[in-house]
Amino acid sequence: MNPAPLPAADMDARDLRVFDAVRELLARHGMQMSMEAVAQHAGCSKQTLYSRYGSKQELMRRVVERHVCRATAGLRGLREDDLRGSLMQFATDYLDHFNQPHVAQACRMISADAAQFPEEARSLWRDGAGTLTLHLAEWIESAIARGQLRHDDPHFMAELLISMIGGQDFDRQRFHMPHRDDAGTRRRWAGFSVDSFLRAFAPAASPQPHSNQLRSFS
């Protein structure tokens, strides 16, 4: 049985060293990363890793879970009435994260290994992109309930927004083409994506009474 996930408050310097080692090794070796290599990079024993995290899959899940929590922090931390500000924080955090060189390289390595490790790849997708989309959909659903967005399918809306934010930038990175590698350019794209999304799903305006209806009450 795998141990329960560690609450953020229970993470210590050892956890951070282990998670940093996993991120670095995923960028180098993809899913062929070994627990022995993680232990060497983190300065601990394999026995410590297995006793604390249970398995390599569980360790990778926790690293991805931490990334998702950080990516959605902007949605949880801002006021409910600051819809654009919340989405801008989410969009810029998302773009900044995936533009880190080790993250982009890890994504390339994992994609290359997906056919060889299909179960692990599916788990990473569920715990990463799938969970991120679910959290965003829940946040969008609450905004719909508050009347801030048009009533529609929140899961479709979340997937569409993430696609708009990502654009073609990650494909450009994969093919080693010029991409949005500075914060200012990323922020401008984030603003364009968020504003386009908000225009597309703006709440329907209240219907105005017809002129004949106005005269009937005079």
Side-chain angles (χ1 to χ4, degrees):
M1 180 181 296
N2 290 331
L6 290 173
D10 290 343
M11 287 176 43
D12 57 22
R14 176 177 51 185
D15 294 309
L16 296 177
R17 287 198 305 271
V18 169
F19 289 1
D20 287 343
V22 170
R23 287 192 292 270
E24 182 179 341
L25 290 168
L26 280 174
R28 292 187 190 179
H29 307 295
M31 285 182 286
Q32 300 186 54
M33 171 195 77
S34 69
M35 290 290 266
E36 182 175 2
V38 174
Q40 289 177 351
H41 275 70
C44 64
S45 67
K46 280 200 302 181
Q47 289 77 13
T48 297
L49 293 181
Y50 282 111
S51 64
R52 191 160 179 84
Y53 306 107
S55 65
K56 184 175 84 170
Q57 290 72 23
E58 176 65 12
L59 174 56
M60 292 171 68
R61 188 191 69 77
R62 294 192 189 189
V63 172
V64 171
E65 180 184 65
R66 183 165 182 260
H67 280 302
V68 170
C69 287
R70 293 173 69 178
T72 55
L75 300 180
R76 300 189 302 272
L78 296 180
R79 295 184 333 223
E80 291 182 348
D81 60 350
D82 189 6
L83 186 67
R84 185 181 187 275
S86 298
L87 291 178
M88 277 295 295
Q89 186 66 57
F90 171 79
T92 52
D93 287 349
Y94 182 87
L95 289 171
D96 288 348
H97 172 70
F98 279 98
N99 271 276
Q100 295 178 66
H102 73 275
V103 174
Q105 179 60 20
C107 290
R108 284 192 285 268
M109 295 295 294
I110 291 169
S111 295
D113 288 341
Q116 185 178 354
F117 301 94
E119 287 300 322
E120 291 86 347
R122 282 191 284 267
S123 293
L124 281 178
W125 190 93
R126 285 193 299 267
D127 296 332
T131 300
L132 180 66
T133 304
L134 180 60
H135 287 331
L136 180 58
E138 291 171 346
W139 189 89
I140 287 174
E141 189 171 22
S142 67
I144 291 172
R146 293 192 297 268
Q148 295 174 301
L149 293 171
R150 190 184 78 217
H151 189 277
D152 212 310
D153 187 312
H155 296 276
F156 284 3
M157 293 167 69
E159 185 173 347
L160 177 64
L161 178 57
I162 291 173
S163 299
M164 292 168 71
I165 293 168
Q168 293 184 317
D169 211 45
F170 306 140
D171 286 333
R172 292 191 185 101
Q173 291 184 55
R174 259 198 346 240
F175 287 94
H176 302 282
M177 296 292 291
H179 62 281
R180 301 181 188 98
D181 57 356
D182 67 274
T185 304
R186 289 196 294 272
R187 186 165 183 83
R188 286 194 296 274
W189 178 257
F192 178 78
S193 304
V194 167
D195 289 339
S196 299
F197 177 83
L198 292 176
R199 283 194 299 270
F201 292 100
S206 300
Q208 297 297 317
H210 192 272
S211 58
N212 289 336
Q213 291 177 305
L214 289 174
R215 285 196 294 269
S216 69
F217 289 98
S218 59

